[in-house]
Amino acid sequence: MQSSSRERQPRRGVAALAAAATGLIAGLALAQATPEPAPAAGPVQVQANAPSSHTVVKGDTLWGISGKFLKTPWRWPEVWRLNKDQIKNPHWIYPGQVILFDPNAPGGPRLYLQQPGDVGPGSVVRLSPQIRAEARAEQAIPTIRPEDIEPFMLRNRVIGAETFDDAPQVVKSVGERVAFSQSDAIYAVGVKPAMGKVFQIFRKGRELRDPAIAPRPWYRWHHANPDPQIIGYEASYLGDARLLREGEVARLEIVSSKQEVQIGDYLIPAPPVETMAWVPHAPEVKVEGFVMTLPNGVSEAGKTNVVTLNLGKRHGLEVGHVLAVYKSAETFANPRYKEHPMNWVPGWPKISGSEPVTLQIPEERIALVFVFTVFDGVSYGMVMNSGVDNVRAGYPVRNP
């Protein structure tokens, strides 16, 4: 009995050690999965010549109006005292309404809509007969100009390689043509009943490579293994199609076309059209990423240009988030440096000069990016205000 008891004791010790190790691993996994909180933001800065009120006119944007009062217009939800629910579903603001600004309000500067009987700082209330009508949502002023981002909302998409593998594909036209347009009939394979009857036509574009992932060495390349650095593809929108007949080879009609459709192009089920109010706000978790590409094909992105980020839903990003773009630190040769002539003498002790060999420009914030479309691992953002330098691919982005 004693021997068997001694045999069981080590087993209990091993079991306890294994349980402790399992708990430690689980704890480490939980710690890694828990997102790090965002760094605390400083106080809201007010414009030196901020007016006490502003009457909303057609063509205004919330970002532009806030810029009249604040040096950091993206922080207007804080000044409006919006909570999380109101950020998701904000109150509409319409032309004709008056926005009042109180820079000395308790708790910090405050923006609010003038109501009957309100007396804002420096404002005068005029009493007169009024007829109030409920304006339609379409008349409300937007956060940013819709025409600046409309081409990227439903017309440009970031699609994963696996999506392209499973997507229906155009295989033939009705007739012998190689390019098709509106009102033409086409044949496609891979169309399933669950996909619905309305499709958007896309052409597989350039691959999107995540700069945060190291390139795969050539000796690890294999045609059957996907490249981990490729996180998706930009798909160029060509037009819309409607299903006419199901089957192994389905027949569709092109109902609209922006570009000519060709054999090999892909059909993606059309997403539902959503009306969304974008309220700018900072991410609640720490976010770090990079500018991957400039979708409009330019080498530098300035104000209102659209950029692609290697951040998406799985990184905690959502529509309305504002991120800061930084120019990386730059090291360059000092043109004032001159080596001491005695340093050329063999065996002579080295004499350092009064000037350093190299100089460095520290990292600096150059722009803000407003995120308006978010996919799983990629997102589109618009450069809202750039400083002395434009945004380039490879620049880091993080919390503002």
Side-chain angles (χ1 to χ4, degrees), residues 3 6 15 64 90 104 107 121 153 179 216 226 232 236 270 277 304 313 350 374 400:
S3 61
R6 283 193 297 269
N104 301 312
M153 289 304 299
R216 179 175 56 181
S236 301
T304 71
K313 294 178 182 177
K350 297 294 183 182
V374 180

Side-chain angles (χ1 to χ4, degrees), residues 152-226:
F152 295 90
M153 289 304 299
L154 292 177
R155 304 315 188 202
N156 283 51
R157 298 182 64 179
V158 176
I159 300 178
E162 68 283 355
T163 304
F164 272 120
D165 292 339
D166 298 334
Q169 200 166 11
V170 178
V171 293
K172 193 180 185 303
S173 70
V174 176
E176 301 300 327
R177 285 173 294 175
V178 295
F180 337 116
S181 58
Q182 185 173 347
S183 301
D184 288 340
I186 55 175
Y187 294 105
V189 295
V191 178
K192 301 175 182 177
M195 295 179 176
K197 296 184 179 297
V198 181
F199 294 84
Q200 291 180 331
I201 310 171
F202 288 94
R203 182 167 298 148
K204 187 176 182 179
R206 61 178 171 176
E207 58 193 25
L208 298 177
R209 292 183 172 270
D210 190 344
I213 300 176
R216 179 175 56 181
W218 63 268
Y219 54 84
R220 296 188 61 183
W221 180 89
H222 192 275
H223 68 279
N225 297 331

Side-chain angles (χ1 to χ4, degrees), residues 46-53 67-71 101:
V46 178
Q47 295 282 14
N49 57 346
S52 59
S53 64
K68 296 178 180 293
F69 304 101
L70 310 175
K71 292 182 179 180
F101 180 58

Side-chain angles (χ1 to χ4, degrees), residues 288-305:
E288 292 182 331
F290 295 93
V291 175
M292 286 200 306
T293 61
L294 313 178
N296 50 4
V298 298
S299 59
E300 296 181 349
K303 187 176 181 180
T304 71
N305 287 149

Side-chain angles (χ1 to χ4, degrees), residues 51-127:
S52 59
S53 64
H54 173 79
T55 301
V56 181
V57 298
K58 187 176 181 180
D60 273 345
T61 63
L62 294 176
W63 192 289
I65 292 175
S66 300
K68 296 178 180 293
F69 304 101
L70 310 175
K71 292 182 179 180
T72 51
W74 64 269
R75 296 182 66 177
W76 68 264
E78 302 174 40
V79 185
W80 280 94
R81 305 289 198 270
L82 297 184
N83 57 36
K84 292 182 180 180
D85 292 336
Q86 290 170 326
I87 287 177
K88 298 289 186 182
N89 186 22
H91 297 293
W92 295 106
I93 298 176
Y94 303 95
Q97 292 182 313
V98 178
I99 297 175
L100 302 180
F101 180 58
D102 185 359
N104 301 312
R110 185 184 178 191
L111 285 168
Y112 56 98
L113 289 176
Q114 185 180 41
Q115 303 296 332
D118 283 350
V119 180
S123 63
V124 178
V125 176
R126 294 181 173 85
L127 300 179

Side-chain angles (χ1 to χ4, degrees), residues 88-365:
K88 298 289 186 182
N89 186 22
H91 297 293
W92 295 106
I93 298 176
Y94 303 95
Q97 292 182 313
V98 178
I99 297 175
L100 302 180
F101 180 58
D102 185 359
N104 301 312
R110 185 184 178 191
L111 285 168
Y112 56 98
L113 289 176
Q114 185 180 41
Q115 303 296 332
D118 283 350
V119 180
S123 63
V124 178
V125 176
R126 294 181 173 85
L127 300 179
S128 60
Q130 297 184 20
I131 298 177
R132 298 180 61 87
E134 189 68 25
R136 296 180 301 172
E138 297 82 27
Q139 298 173 336
I141 63 171
T143 300
I144 56 179
R145 297 197 315 161
E147 55 267 30
D148 288 335
I149 61 174
E150 194 277 335
F152 295 90
M153 289 304 299
L154 292 177
R155 304 315 188 202
N156 283 51
R157 298 182 64 179
V158 176
I159 300 178
E162 68 283 355
T163 304
F164 272 120
D165 292 339
D166 298 334
Q169 200 166 11
V170 178
V171 293
K172 193 180 185 303
S173 70
V174 176
E176 301 300 327
R177 285 173 294 175
V178 295
F180 337 116
S181 58
Q182 185 173 347
S183 301
D184 288 340
I186 55 175
Y187 294 105
V189 295
V191 178
K192 301 175 182 177
M195 295 179 176
K197 296 184 179 297
V198 181
F199 294 84
Q200 291 180 331
I201 310 171
F202 288 94
R203 182 167 298 148
K204 187 176 182 179
R206 61 178 171 176
E207 58 193 25
L208 298 177
R209 292 183 172 270
D210 190 344
I213 300 176
R216 179 175 56 181
W218 63 268
Y219 54 84
R220 296 188 61 183
W221 180 89
H222 192 275
H223 68 279
N225 297 331
D227 189 339
Q229 197 180 32
I230 300 176
I231 58 176
Y233 296 87
E234 280 189 342
S236 301
Y237 169 78
L238 305 179
D240 299 309
R242 177 169 52 93
L243 181 64
L244 299 178
R245 188 185 66 228
E246 298 179 356
E248 183 178 358
V249 179
R251 179 168 175 163
L252 301 95
E253 179 189 9
I254 301 175
V255 295
S256 66
S257 60
K258 300 294 183 182
Q259 300 181 44
E260 287 187 332
V261 179
Q262 300 176 359
I263 293 175
D265 291 333
Y266 294 87
L267 300 171
I268 307 294
V273 179
E274 298 180 359
T275 301
M276 186 178 297
W278 303 295
V279 178
H281 56 288
E284 297 179 358
V285 298
K286 186 177 180 180
V287 176
E288 292 182 331
F290 295 93
V291 175
M292 286 200 306
T293 61
L294 313 178
N296 50 4
V298 298
S299 59
E300 296 181 349
K303 187 176 181 180
T304 71
N305 287 149
V306 175
V307 298
T308 305
L309 310 176
N310 69 330
L311 300 167
K313 294 178 182 177
R314 66 168 179 260
H315 304 99
L317 215 61
E318 63 184 36
V319 172
H321 274 164
V322 176
L323 301 176
V325 184
Y326 291 83
K327 183 179 180 181
S328 303
E330 181 181 358
T331 301
F332 58 97
N334 184 1
R336 293 167 55 90
Y337 171 77
K338 294 182 180 180
E339 190 171 8
H340 197 282
M342 295 303 294
N343 289 345
W344 295 96
V345 180
W348 193 270
K350 297 294 183 182
I351 301 175
S352 59
S354 58
E355 292 281 348
V357 178
T358 60
L359 298 174
Q360 186 181 67
I361 300 176
E363 182 183 73
E364 57 183 339
R365 194 170 99 171

